Amino acid sequence: MLFFRHMKINSKIVCLFFVLISFISGFYYHEYLLQEYYERTYSDENIDFSILKKTLDQIYLNYIDPNQIDLEKMTYGAAAGMVNALGDPYTEFFDPEGAKSMEEIVTGKFEGIGLQIGIKDKQLTAISPIKGTPADKAGIRPGDKILLIDEKPTSNLSASEAADIIRGPKGTKVVLTILREGENFDVEIIRDVINVPTVEWKMLENEIALLGVYHFSESTSQDFKKAVFEIINNNVKGIILDLRNNPGGLVNQAIDVAGWLLNRNDLVMIEKGRDGVKKEFRTNGSGDLISYPTVILINEGTASASEILAGALKDNRNLTLIGEKSYGKGTVQKLINLSDNLMLKVTIAEWLTPNGNVINDNGITPDIEVELTLEDYEQQKDPQLEKAIEEISKKINI
């Protein structure tokens, strides 16, 4: 009897062994196919790297001022040009200065004006000004087209190149020429130290909490956790989650935040890679805020990771979205260190909401559309927030 029991155990181990071998074999076979495809497509026979050498030779032989030839700078320019030729505004090459700026943005502290920018419809565009920063105080709005930076045209600049020009030491000035609603005008902004607020909350009337998430940086998860405990201890009856002008950031932080608002193991997003394989990302949090009636504010400045969060809450809890259509940035980027001081940000996948909705270029349409006009800005009115208070009051029966 013991012998047969031992045989059954061994058979399970053997089955597990073969399953494991099959998985590993499949993984390496997939990697092999990708490598084979790369070598077949990008072999020396199919791409003429000598073009770069010939171009450089002719510059050395003919350029009017040989002293201006900077080989390192030209190499960076060649790499950036190769990346830009993809036509993807989110895939970028960063030289040492750009790589340093990117690291500062991820940590959430830098000097500049506090404006998230991107390329939309082939035009440099303001995605969102960060709350309380010089760009916000100067009245820059999501969707503003940036035509000039200090009188320099932006038409041939990548988002990172434009950001490098806009950023600068505290106390210095930058002038942006903005196109908004068919009118051009200049906005003068004084740069400052940007300490990006990630999470803030305050109590409104009738024990309604206005919970703002302004950026997903390395500290967002901890900042949100602190706000959750304060909300729980203050007898809040309902929550308005404000994701307006949140340009996104670190996706893992958005998933952590979702864990407070959804049940454990709820689907947050689906990532679709280059091979078509879909990968699911689920919550691993406590869901402490799931029992609170909640509505969500979004606008054109709600982008990337904040769209992931909004989409997950809409699909899982059918929460009401109020405001304006979101930006529509639904691709995933990976930061790759090419060397100690060079970096590549490359698009590796697109993401979908739990219901499979594509956000890239589409955005998320609110259930209740409320526009925030220029007149509202000037008169410091917020009809979107007013509507959110009205809707959450219905849910908590005020």
Side-chain angles (χ1 to χ4, degrees):
M1 193 70 174
L2 263 166
F3 172 77
F4 287 110
R5 198 173 297 161
H6 180 66
M7 285 292 289
K8 288 179 180 178
I9 293 173
N10 281 344
S11 66
K12 290 180 180 178
I13 294 173
V14 170
C15 286
L16 182 60
F17 173 77
F18 278 114
V19 168
L20 184 60
I21 289 296
S22 297
F23 174 79
I24 294 173
S25 299
F27 173 79
Y28 281 107
Y29 181 65
H30 174 67
E31 292 294 303
Y32 167 77
L33 288 178
L34 286 178
Q35 181 65 25
E36 185 184 47
Y37 173 77
Y38 176 83
E39 291 175 354
R40 185 173 65 251
T41 307
Y42 303 108
S43 67
D44 290 343
E45 296 176 1
N46 295 326
I47 184 167
D48 187 0
F49 289 104
S50 69
I51 292 172
L52 293 175
K53 178 65 167 59
K54 291 175 182 175
T55 302
L56 183 60
D57 289 344
Q58 292 304 315
I59 288 173
Y60 268 105
L61 290 171
N62 295 290
Y63 189 63
I64 187 171
D65 187 355
N67 293 324
Q68 289 187 8
I69 298 175
D70 185 330
L71 185 58
E72 184 178 74
K73 187 175 181 181
M74 292 171 68
T75 302
Y76 296 157
M82 179 172 59
V83 170
N84 293 341
L86 290 170
D88 176 8
Y90 305 116
T91 295
E92 300 178 81
F93 170 83
F94 297 100
D95 62 15
E97 186 177 346
K100 182 182 177 182
S101 298
M102 175 57 66
E103 289 174 354
E104 289 174 347
I105 291 171
V106 170
T107 57
K109 185 176 181 179
F110 53 94
E111 292 185 355
I113 66 171
L115 179 64
Q116 179 78 8
I117 57 177
I119 305 295
K120 192 168 188 179
D121 299 326
K122 299 182 179 181
Q123 175 65 57
L124 187 68
T125 304
I127 297 177
S128 61
I130 299 169
K131 180 180 171 64
T133 61
D136 182 37
K137 294 174 183 177
I140 300 296
R141 297 174 59 185
D144 283 347
K145 305 296 183 184
I146 304 173
L147 305 180
L148 305 173
I149 305 171
D150 287 335
E151 300 185 352
K152 179 178 181 179
T154 62
S155 54
N156 294 320
L157 295 176
S158 69
S160 63
E161 289 170 335
D164 287 341
I165 298 171
I166 293 173
R167 279 192 290 269
K170 175 183 177 181
T172 58
K173 178 182 72 174
V174 62
V175 177
L176 305 183
T177 301
I178 300 296
L179 171 62
R180 180 193 297 163
E181 297 176 358
E183 295 185 9
N184 294 1
F185 55 93
D186 289 343
V187 180
E188 182 179 300
I189 308 173
I190 305 299
R191 299 179 178 99
D192 202 348
V193 175
I194 308 299
N195 293 302
V196 182
T198 60
V199 180
E200 291 179 347
W201 84 279
K202 64 180 179 180
M203 188 78 84
L204 305 178
E205 292 183 5
N206 300 319
E207 298 174 306
I208 296 169
L210 177 61
L211 177 56
V213 183
Y214 305 116
H215 186 71
F216 290 103
S217 66
E218 292 174 344
S219 65
T220 303
S221 181
Q222 285 302 313
D223 293 342
F224 196 85
K225 178 180 179 180
K226 180 182 176 184
V228 168
F229 289 139
E230 290 175 358
I231 286 172
I232 291 172
N233 292 327
N234 276 275
N235 300 315
V236 167
K237 292 182 178 178
I239 297 171
I240 298 172
L241 179 63
D242 192 351
L243 298 178
R244 293 176 296 177
N245 296 340
N246 182 326
L250 301 176
V251 174
N252 67 315
Q253 297 289 310
I255 294 172
D256 286 347
V257 168
W260 295 98
L261 295 148
L262 298 173
N263 289 309
R264 184 180 291 271
N265 206 42
D266 275 351
L267 183 59
V268 178
M269 60 173 277
I270 302 167
E271 185 179 285
K272 184 180 178 183
R274 59 185 287 176
D275 53 6
V277 174
K278 293 181 180 179
K279 181 180 179 181
E280 295 184 346
F281 290 81
R282 296 181 177 272
T283 58
N284 190 32
S286 62
D288 283 1
L289 296 184
I290 197 167
S291 62
Y292 291 82
T294 303
V295 298
I296 305 170
L297 285 168
I298 62 173
N299 67 0
E300 193 178 355
T302 304
S304 192
S306 57
E307 291 177 288
I308 289 173
L309 180 58
L313 295 174
K314 176 63 181 177
D315 287 359
N316 283 287
R317 291 181 57 188
N318 197 30
L319 297 183
T320 302
L321 304 179
I322 299 169
E324 297 166 279
K325 187 177 181 180
S326 66
Y327 184 79
K329 196 270 185 181
T331 55
V332 182
Q333 282 69 46
K334 177 181 180 180
L335 284 174
I336 301 171
N337 288 314
L338 301 176
S339 67
D340 291 339
N341 58 359
L342 299 176
M343 188 179 290
L344 177 67
K345 178 163 69 77
V346 59
T347 299
I348 59 170
E350 68 173 341
W351 58 264
L352 314 174
T353 71
N355 287 349
N357 297 320
V358 175
I359 298 303
N360 203 45
D361 296 330
N362 296 327
I364 297 176
T365 302
D367 301 290
I368 302 174
E369 294 196 33
V370 180
E371 185 182 2
L372 195 61
T373 65
L374 179 59
E375 185 178 350
D376 292 325
Y377 269 100
E378 292 172 346
Q379 297 181 5
Q380 296 186 331
K381 294 181 178 180
D382 193 344
Q384 295 172 340
L385 178 58
E386 291 171 6
K387 186 62 178 178
I389 293 172
E390 178 186 327
E391 291 300 312
I392 198 67
S393 296
K394 295 176 185 176
K395 296 179 184 296
I396 59 179
N397 299 317
I398 292 177

